[in-house]
Amino acid sequence: MMGEEFDNDATSLTNYLCQAYLPRLMLDETLPPEENFATAWDRMEELNMDSTRLIRQVTEVPLLALQNAVRLYFMGFQNRLHVDWANARLTLPSPGMTVLTNAAISRLGIESESDFLAALEHFPLDTAAEALRTVERRPFDEDELKFARLKASSARSTKKLWSIYTFGPHVLPTGVWRPGVVILAIPPWQLGIGDLHEFASRRVFNHGELDREPEGTTAWSNATKLWAMLYDTCRVSGYRWFVITTYTNWMFGTWSLDWSAAEVTRPVPFDRTRGMSIVEMLTFWIECARDKTRFWHVAANAPPDDMED
């Protein structure tokens, strides 16, 4: 954290956010253990496409560049944003400001995916949403400034395949651009740090490679399935900004305007951030996605195929 860079104003939202931390989840022993690579997911026939997923190129978002952008964004407020600590919607603990209540601690015990989603909502998502309302000086009952949990399906099926959250206008887009963000939330026992690193290290997709899962031993890895899931989720919703989280690790990324390219960070551990907190990064990413700040832009389109060599 950047403890040496802020004063001791206990009512400052920026001071709170830069010290706020995600408490560790306590997974029940009946759940599968967290592993480097999670157990391979079942085949998802719903992810097989008759058309082509357009993604061809992936680039890395440098964490140092993102850190600098986050810091510049919050420095612009110069402690002009103040909070009332009777506000129970800022739920993350922050040293010298807020602590976890017994009721909050009870939310950290995870026995199911439902518990995982409830903890994700209560801690980082609720805090980020309240931070955004404070930044924009908007009321709590502003529907546009709330996360919506959806049961996401693929582009060819209505079967619920995974859980997502969206933050943005709840109306269909009228043009090529839709301001807002998608968060794919996957429990840590279903997606390991090795899976996430494999996802983030991908650089090229050949034409048609992500359209249909091969049979047998060449079946898609969890990371490849995640790319197909992410592509479908963002294409269907129209949002080009995304976050992938297991709560334990976080990745931030964007899609290009023509969906041919994506950019994404390496996994950021919930408890080992440097220079910024997870909730600062999340708040910043959502504000960029909603066109409220221009400190970051979406990925550039991939070059035409005949230019890649």
Side-chain angles (χ1 to χ4, degrees):
M1 306 300 176
M2 302 292 285
E4 69 276 15
E5 294 189 6
F6 55 81
D7 59 34
N8 294 320
D9 184 355
T11 69
S12 166
L13 177 69
T14 50
N15 286 355
Y16 167 77
L17 292 177
C18 72
Q19 299 179 90
Y21 65 92
L22 275 63
R24 184 180 298 275
L25 299 181
M26 297 176 288
L27 304 186
D28 191 82
E29 61 183 11
T30 61
L31 293 171
E34 290 186 69
E35 308 220 9
N36 191 34
F37 289 90
T39 301
W41 300 347
D42 293 338
R43 289 181 62 86
M44 297 182 186
E45 296 295 334
E46 295 82 3
L47 291 179
N48 291 335
M49 295 281 286
D50 296 325
S51 57
T52 296
R53 293 185 173 98
L54 301 177
I55 180 173
R56 302 196 306 274
Q57 175 181 286
V58 182
T59 57
E60 181 178 346
V61 173
L63 275 177
L64 180 59
L66 177 56
Q67 170 185 318
N68 289 338
V70 172
R71 187 55 52 217
L72 286 171
Y73 170 72
F74 282 106
M75 284 176 61
F77 295 114
Q78 297 179 336
N79 289 332
R80 289 184 285 107
L81 300 173
H82 295 278
V83 294
D84 177 359
W85 291 120
N87 184 346
R89 292 185 291 271
L90 292 168
T91 53
L92 289 178
S94 186
M97 296 184 181
T98 60
V99 297
L100 287 176
T101 64
N102 289 335
I105 292 173
S106 69
R107 294 176 180 267
L108 297 173
I110 308 300
E111 298 180 356
S112 64
E113 181 175 353
S114 178
D115 289 343
F116 161 75
L117 294 174
L120 182 69
E121 291 173 19
H122 179 75
F123 291 107
L125 300 193
D126 281 0
T127 297
E130 183 63 14
L132 289 163
R133 286 188 288 267
T134 302
V135 168
E136 298 184 19
R137 292 177 169 80
R138 305 275 285 276
F140 170 72
D141 57 359
E142 183 76 51
D143 286 341
E144 183 181 328
L145 297 183
K146 293 181 180 179
F147 286 98
R149 188 205 294 187
L150 304 176
K151 296 179 179 180
S153 59
S154 73
R156 57 173 292 182
S157 169
T158 58
K159 174 185 174 183
K160 188 260 183 177
L161 295 178
W162 55 86
S163 296
I164 68 168
Y165 294 88
T166 62
F167 197 103
H170 304 312
V171 295
L172 292 176
T174 56
V176 68
W177 179 258
R178 187 183 193 187
V181 67
V182 162
I183 298 179
L184 265 69
I186 300 175
W189 60 88
Q190 293 182 6
L191 197 67
I193 185 63
D195 298 310
L196 292 172
H197 277 294
E198 180 186 337
F199 176 93
S201 63
R202 190 66 185 257
R203 290 294 171 261
V204 175
F205 286 97
N206 296 322
H207 180 78
E209 180 183 354
L210 200 61
D211 296 344
R212 303 187 71 82
E213 182 175 7
E215 299 285 348
T217 57
T218 57
W220 285 344
S221 66
N222 291 350
T224 302
K225 288 187 177 78
L226 184 59
W227 270 115
M229 290 164 55
L230 177 67
Y231 182 94
D232 286 0
T233 299
C234 292
R235 279 303 300 265
V236 170
S237 67
Y239 296 129
R240 285 176 172 78
W241 298 74
F242 64 86
V243 177
I244 297 172
T245 182
T246 63
Y247 188 101
T248 305
N249 288 282
W250 296 71
M251 296 192 296
F252 301 82
T254 69
W255 291 95
S256 65
L257 289 179
D258 68 357
W259 302 99
S260 67
E263 62 173 6
V264 65
T265 65
R266 295 283 179 172
V268 181
F270 81 102
D271 60 349
R272 289 197 298 275
T273 54
R274 292 185 177 181
M276 55 191 166
S277 67
I278 289 293
V279 72
E280 282 183 299
M281 296 172 68
L282 181 59
T283 302
F284 170 80
W285 211 240
I286 297 170
E287 285 292 80
C288 290
R290 298 177 62 247
D291 281 339
K292 298 300 182 180
T293 182
R294 297 300 179 91
F295 279 104
W296 206 269
H297 302 280
V298 297
N301 293 339
D305 288 337
D306 58 0
M307 293 179 59
E308 291 182 351
D309 295 334

XYZ file of all heavy atoms in Angstrom, residues 214-264:
422
model
N -12.229 -29.540 -29.471
C -11.886 -30.841 -30.063
C -12.266 -31.992 -29.130
O -12.435 -31.812 -27.924
C -10.364 -30.764 -30.248
C -10.021 -29.310 -30.113
C -11.052 -28.723 -29.209
N -12.357 -33.172 -29.695
C -12.653 -34.373 -28.908
C -11.371 -34.939 -28.293
O -10.261 -34.653 -28.750
C -13.308 -35.435 -29.798
C -14.629 -35.013 -30.429
C -15.770 -35.009 -29.433
O -15.585 -35.556 -28.320
O -16.841 -34.450 -29.754
N -11.536 -35.747 -27.262
C -10.446 -36.540 -26.728
C -9.396 -35.744 -25.987
O -9.681 -34.769 -25.288
N -8.144 -36.161 -26.171
C -7.045 -35.600 -25.390
C -6.704 -34.178 -25.777
O -5.950 -33.512 -25.068
C -5.782 -36.467 -25.559
O -5.455 -36.540 -26.960
C -6.018 -37.872 -25.025
N -7.235 -33.701 -26.900
C -6.967 -32.317 -27.309
C -8.062 -31.364 -26.847
O -8.154 -30.245 -27.343
C -6.826 -32.231 -28.838
O -8.028 -32.735 -29.447
C -5.626 -33.022 -29.317
N -8.896 -31.816 -25.921
C -9.980 -30.962 -25.418
C -9.411 -29.678 -24.817
O -8.266 -29.630 -24.369
C -10.787 -31.725 -24.367
N -10.222 -28.650 -24.825
C -9.799 -27.357 -24.293
C -9.429 -27.459 -22.814
O -10.075 -28.168 -22.045
C -10.920 -26.342 -24.436
C -11.118 -25.836 -25.834
C -10.265 -25.941 -26.885
C -12.272 -25.130 -26.310
N -10.797 -25.337 -27.996
C -12.016 -24.827 -27.673
C -13.466 -24.705 -25.736
C -12.936 -24.137 -28.466
C -14.380 -24.018 -26.509
C -14.119 -23.728 -27.853
N -8.423 -26.700 -22.419
C -8.102 -26.538 -20.999
C -9.129 -25.603 -20.358
O -9.926 -24.949 -21.049
C -6.704 -25.934 -20.846
O -6.689 -24.598 -21.359
N -9.107 -25.533 -19.042
C -9.995 -24.591 -18.349
C -9.757 -23.170 -18.830
O -10.701 -22.380 -18.994
C -9.781 -24.664 -16.838
C -10.256 -25.972 -16.243
O -10.919 -26.763 -16.908
N -9.912 -26.208 -14.978
N -8.488 -22.806 -19.063
C -8.160 -21.449 -19.495
C -8.747 -21.152 -20.873
O -9.251 -20.046 -21.122
C -6.646 -21.248 -19.512
N -8.704 -22.128 -21.777
C -9.271 -21.913 -23.110
C -10.792 -21.805 -23.037
O -11.402 -20.962 -23.701
C -8.857 -23.054 -24.053
O -7.428 -23.121 -24.111
C -9.401 -22.821 -25.463
N -11.413 -22.657 -22.223
C -12.863 -22.536 -22.022
C -13.203 -21.149 -21.487
O -14.210 -20.537 -21.871
C -13.369 -23.609 -21.064
C -13.409 -25.023 -21.627
C -14.093 -25.945 -20.625
C -14.241 -27.364 -21.166
N -12.981 -28.124 -21.079
N -12.363 -20.646 -20.575
C -12.606 -19.325 -19.997
C -12.559 -18.243 -21.071
O -13.355 -17.298 -21.039
C -11.590 -19.040 -18.892
C -11.758 -17.738 -18.114
C -13.118 -17.677 -17.428
C -10.636 -17.575 -17.084
N -11.641 -18.353 -22.029
C -11.608 -17.378 -23.127
C -12.910 -17.417 -23.929
O -13.457 -16.365 -24.298
C -10.407 -17.639 -24.039
C -9.170 -16.914 -23.636
C -7.995 -17.465 -23.193
C -8.969 -15.495 -23.626
N -7.084 -16.479 -22.892
C -7.655 -15.256 -23.152
C -9.771 -14.401 -23.961
C -7.131 -13.975 -23.017
C -9.248 -13.122 -23.819
C -7.946 -12.917 -23.357
N -13.415 -18.612 -24.215
C -14.676 -18.716 -24.956
C -15.832 -18.143 -24.140
O -16.692 -17.417 -24.671
C -14.952 -20.171 -25.318
N -15.860 -18.455 -22.837
C -16.898 -17.917 -21.967
C -16.856 -16.401 -21.933
O -17.885 -15.719 -22.028
C -16.720 -18.475 -20.549
C -17.031 -19.943 -20.414
S -16.373 -20.684 -18.885
C -17.062 -19.624 -17.622
N -15.647 -15.856 -21.778
C -15.493 -14.408 -21.693
C -15.930 -13.738 -22.992
O -16.646 -12.727 -22.969
C -14.039 -14.063 -21.383
C -13.707 -12.572 -21.331
C -14.392 -11.904 -20.141
C -12.188 -12.362 -21.255
N -15.497 -14.295 -24.110
C -15.857 -13.713 -25.404
C -17.381 -13.673 -25.556
O -17.950 -12.628 -25.905
C -15.238 -14.532 -26.535
C -15.509 -13.981 -27.921
C -14.598 -13.130 -28.546
C -16.672 -14.309 -28.606
C -14.840 -12.620 -29.814
C -16.935 -13.807 -29.876
C -16.016 -12.968 -30.476
O -16.274 -12.453 -31.723
N -18.040 -14.794 -25.291
C -19.492 -14.836 -25.453
C -20.191 -13.862 -24.515
O -21.136 -13.163 -24.898
C -20.002 -16.252 -25.187
C -19.685 -17.214 -26.322
O -19.058 -16.775 -27.312
O -20.054 -18.389 -26.213
N -19.741 -13.829 -23.259
C -20.366 -12.942 -22.280
C -20.278 -11.487 -22.721
O -21.266 -10.741 -22.661
C -19.688 -13.104 -20.908
O -19.855 -14.451 -20.464
C -20.287 -12.157 -19.880
N -19.101 -11.072 -23.170
C -18.915 -9.671 -23.543
C -19.603 -9.354 -24.868
O -20.179 -8.267 -25.031
C -17.425 -9.337 -23.602
S -16.631 -9.378 -21.979
N -19.572 -10.272 -25.824
C -20.250 -10.023 -27.093
C -21.758 -9.894 -26.898
O -22.403 -9.008 -27.477
C -19.969 -11.147 -28.099
C -18.658 -11.068 -28.841
C -18.460 -9.778 -29.615
N -19.442 -9.481 -30.640
C -19.314 -9.762 -31.926
N -18.246 -10.424 -32.363
N -20.231 -9.401 -32.784
N -22.330 -10.792 -26.096
C -23.779 -10.762 -25.879
C -24.192 -9.499 -25.130
O -25.200 -8.864 -25.438
C -24.235 -12.028 -25.120
C -25.687 -11.890 -24.668
C -24.081 -13.257 -26.003
N -23.398 -9.108 -24.121
C -23.749 -7.931 -23.313
C -23.360 -6.620 -23.980
O -23.944 -5.572 -23.699
C -23.060 -8.011 -21.943
O -21.654 -7.894 -22.081
N -22.341 -6.667 -24.843
C -21.859 -5.448 -25.496
C -20.814 -4.695 -24.715
O -20.329 -3.658 -25.174
N -20.423 -5.197 -23.531
C -19.419 -4.507 -22.715
C -18.013 -4.941 -23.139
O -17.714 -6.132 -23.211
C -19.608 -4.825 -21.233
C -20.908 -4.331 -20.649
C -21.743 -5.186 -19.936
C -21.310 -3.008 -20.805
C -22.938 -4.731 -19.385
C -22.497 -2.549 -20.268
C -23.309 -3.416 -19.557
O -24.483 -2.970 -19.023
N -17.134 -3.970 -23.344
C -15.761 -4.288 -23.751
C -14.760 -4.255 -22.590
O -13.603 -4.574 -22.787
C -15.324 -3.348 -24.875
C -15.959 -3.721 -26.215
C -15.612 -2.748 -27.301
N -16.074 -3.227 -28.592
C -17.330 -3.168 -29.024
N -18.267 -2.663 -28.227
N -17.665 -3.628 -30.212
N -15.189 -3.858 -21.431
C -14.334 -3.885 -20.247
C -14.734 -5.082 -19.400
O -15.927 -5.356 -19.227
C -14.481 -2.589 -19.443
C -14.062 -1.361 -20.195
C -14.746 -0.754 -21.212
C -12.872 -0.604 -20.003
N -14.044 0.342 -21.660
C -12.890 0.463 -20.940
C -11.794 -0.708 -19.123
C -11.873 1.405 -21.015
C -10.778 0.233 -19.205
C -10.824 1.278 -20.137
N -13.739 -5.804 -18.864
C -14.071 -6.990 -18.099
C -13.117 -7.167 -16.917
O -12.005 -6.626 -16.891
C -14.055 -8.250 -18.976
C -12.711 -8.599 -19.563
C -11.786 -9.356 -18.849
C -12.372 -8.186 -20.845
C -10.552 -9.686 -19.395
C -11.138 -8.517 -21.408
C -10.230 -9.269 -20.681
N -13.600 -7.936 -15.944
C -12.818 -8.365 -14.785
C -13.082 -9.849 -14.601
O -14.216 -10.304 -14.745
C -13.216 -7.601 -13.503
C -12.430 -8.114 -12.297
C -13.027 -6.098 -13.676
N -12.045 -10.608 -14.322
C -12.181 -12.022 -13.969
C -11.679 -12.173 -12.543
O -10.577 -11.714 -12.215
C -11.373 -12.918 -14.917
C -11.911 -12.792 -16.345
C -11.415 -14.376 -14.456
C -11.054 -13.482 -17.373
N -12.494 -12.799 -11.690
C -12.077 -12.925 -10.301
C -12.458 -14.272 -9.719
O -13.528 -14.822 -10.021
C -12.677 -11.809 -9.424
O -12.196 -11.955 -8.079
C -14.194 -11.851 -9.406
N -11.558 -14.796 -8.903
C -11.859 -15.928 -8.022
C -11.906 -15.439 -6.573
O -11.895 -16.255 -5.661
C -10.787 -17.025 -8.161
O -9.521 -16.495 -7.736
C -10.684 -17.521 -9.594
N -11.945 -14.142 -6.368
C -11.766 -13.448 -5.097
C -10.313 -13.542 -4.660
O -9.701 -12.541 -4.284
C -12.672 -14.018 -3.994
C -12.664 -13.207 -2.706
C -13.697 -12.331 -2.427
C -11.643 -13.330 -1.758
C -13.710 -11.584 -1.237
C -11.649 -12.600 -0.587
C -12.680 -11.724 -0.324
O -12.688 -11.002 0.837
N -9.712 -14.719 -4.741
C -8.307 -14.901 -4.383
C -7.389 -14.173 -5.354
O -6.335 -13.660 -4.966
C -7.959 -16.402 -4.367
O -8.866 -17.081 -3.486
C -6.544 -16.639 -3.868
N -7.768 -14.130 -6.631
C -6.984 -13.452 -7.665
C -7.916 -12.665 -8.579
O -9.083 -13.041 -8.776
C -6.175 -14.466 -8.484
C -5.013 -15.044 -7.711
O -3.976 -14.408 -7.556
N -5.193 -16.260 -7.195
N -7.356 -11.583 -9.142
C -8.134 -10.672 -9.983
C -7.365 -10.379 -11.267
O -6.142 -10.213 -11.246
C -8.393 -9.356 -9.241
C -9.243 -9.516 -8.018
C -8.896 -10.108 -6.831
C -10.609 -9.109 -7.871
N -9.939 -10.090 -5.947
C -11.009 -9.477 -6.556
C -11.517 -8.457 -8.699
C -12.291 -9.213 -6.072
C -12.796 -8.198 -8.212
C -13.167 -8.573 -6.919
N -8.088 -10.289 -12.382
C -7.500 -9.868 -13.654
C -8.416 -8.829 -14.297
O -9.642 -8.946 -14.247
C -7.302 -11.061 -14.596
C -6.312 -12.087 -14.072
S -5.817 -13.330 -15.311
C -7.365 -14.156 -15.619
N -7.802 -7.824 -14.915
C -8.530 -6.712 -15.510
C -8.186 -6.637 -16.995
O -7.010 -6.746 -17.361
C -8.153 -5.395 -14.822
C -8.442 -5.388 -13.340
C -7.562 -5.965 -12.436
C -9.607 -4.818 -12.856
C -7.832 -5.972 -11.069
C -9.888 -4.811 -11.491
C -9.004 -5.400 -10.599
N -9.198 -6.430 -17.839
C -8.910 -6.409 -19.263
C -9.955 -5.673 -20.080
O -10.983 -5.220 -19.563
N -9.678 -5.560 -21.379
C -10.598 -4.921 -22.321
C -10.567 -5.661 -23.649
O -9.628 -6.405 -23.959
C -10.233 -3.445 -22.593
O -9.004 -3.385 -23.350
C -10.086 -2.644 -21.310
N -11.600 -5.422 -24.449
C -11.685 -5.906 -25.831
C -11.531 -4.737 -26.792
O -11.899 -3.609 -26.473
C -13.032 -6.563 -26.097
C -13.244 -7.852 -25.380
C -13.882 -8.034 -24.186
C -12.816 -9.149 -25.808
N -13.870 -9.366 -23.843
C -13.235 -10.072 -24.828
C -12.130 -9.616 -26.938
C -12.974 -11.427 -24.932
C -11.886 -10.978 -27.041
C -12.299 -11.870 -26.057
N -11.030 -5.033 -27.971
C -10.963 -4.011 -29.012
C -12.359 -3.753 -29.580
O -13.296 -4.535 -29.378
C -10.024 -4.460 -30.136
O -10.549 -5.605 -30.798
N -12.491 -2.671 -30.316
C -13.800 -2.307 -30.862
C -14.351 -3.360 -31.810
O -15.566 -3.572 -31.885
C -13.718 -0.948 -31.567
C -13.542 0.268 -30.650
C -13.451 1.545 -31.471
C -14.693 0.372 -29.651
N -13.464 -4.041 -32.566
C -13.953 -5.047 -33.518
C -13.864 -6.465 -32.967
O -14.063 -7.432 -33.696
C -13.207 -4.952 -34.848
C -11.726 -5.366 -34.738
O -11.272 -5.665 -33.612
O -11.041 -5.378 -35.768
N -13.550 -6.629 -31.674
C -13.512 -7.913 -30.982
C -12.388 -8.822 -31.468
O -12.352 -10.005 -31.130
C -14.856 -8.646 -31.094
C -16.001 -7.858 -30.562
C -16.880 -7.126 -31.306
C -16.385 -7.685 -29.188
N -17.806 -6.514 -30.487
C -17.523 -6.837 -29.190
C -15.889 -8.172 -27.980
C -18.152 -6.466 -28.018
C -16.529 -7.799 -26.811
C -17.643 -6.959 -26.841
N -11.439 -8.298 -32.235
C -10.342 -9.122 -32.739
C -9.191 -9.240 -31.747
O -8.307 -10.082 -31.929
C -9.814 -8.552 -34.059
O -9.187 -7.283 -33.834
N -9.170 -8.405 -30.715
C -8.043 -8.384 -29.785
C -8.538 -8.110 -28.373
O -9.592 -7.504 -28.166
C -7.023 -7.325 -30.206
N -7.756 -8.581 -27.414
C -8.024 -8.317 -26.004
C -6.708 -7.982 -25.326
O -5.630 -8.330 -25.815
C -8.673 -9.520 -25.332
N -6.800 -7.300 -24.202
C -5.650 -7.059 -23.335
C -6.057 -7.433 -21.928
O -7.220 -7.272 -21.540
C -5.192 -5.597 -23.401
C -6.248 -4.603 -22.932
C -5.733 -3.176 -22.844
O -4.582 -2.937 -23.252
O -6.490 -2.310 -22.358
N -5.112 -7.960 -21.142
C -5.457 -8.429 -19.807
C -4.215 -8.387 -18.927
O -3.083 -8.566 -19.402
C -6.044 -9.859 -19.865
C -5.020 -10.871 -20.342
C -6.658 -10.273 -18.533
